[in-house]
Amino acid sequence: MAANWSACYEAVFGVRLQRLDNPELEMWAFPMQPEAAGAGGALVRMPGLTSGGNSTIVYFACTDCAVEARRAAASGGKVFKDKFSIGAHGFIALVTDSEGNMIGLHSRQ
């Protein structure tokens, strides 16, 4: 992701994104405020997903992303990528919903 890509999100949301270290994915995290309402999140570039055709993945926080991945598959969705480690930042799983939209699931365990 070019520097202007993350700068656009910083300008739109009035925040400073933090680059997260991961050898497989390019990840930029929005600031998290655990004591405040709202959701933390990250922008992630996934190899194999091109711009436009579902290139943006919205991540949802959960206790154990493997549990929610199984729920997605059981309710008409599909598991695109089973739970995997993103190092010090926890784990993610990728699923598609019943309409084929990909979402990410993030957990610390």
Side-chain angles (χ1 to χ4, degrees):
M1 293 174 192
N4 61 351
W5 179 84
S6 60
C8 175
Y9 282 88
E10 290 176 334
V12 168
F13 295 108
V15 297
R16 183 89 174 133
L17 301 179
Q18 176 187 3
R19 175 119 189 200
L20 303 178
D21 294 325
N22 189 290
E24 296 181 31
L25 306 171
E26 185 174 354
M27 302 173 65
W28 292 87
F30 287 89
M32 292 185 66
Q33 299 175 0
E35 66 284 347
L43 302 172
V44 180
R45 177 175 281 182
M46 289 290 300
L49 296 177
T50 58
S51 295
N54 201 26
S55 65
T56 300
I57 301 173
V58 176
Y59 282 80
F60 295 87
C62 47
T63 302
D64 181 347
C65 62
V67 171
E68 282 78 3
R70 286 192 299 271
R71 289 181 188 159
S75 64
K78 295 180 181 176
V79 176
F80 178 81
K81 186 162 182 160
D82 285 316
K83 178 180 177 178
F84 66 98
S85 173
I86 54 171
H89 308 290
F91 299 87
I92 60 175
L94 300 172
V95 300
T96 56
D97 64 17
S98 60
E99 303 297 313
N101 299 302
M102 186 172 297
I103 63 169
L105 304 168
H106 173 260
S107 62
R108 299 298 284 167
Q109 62 178 19

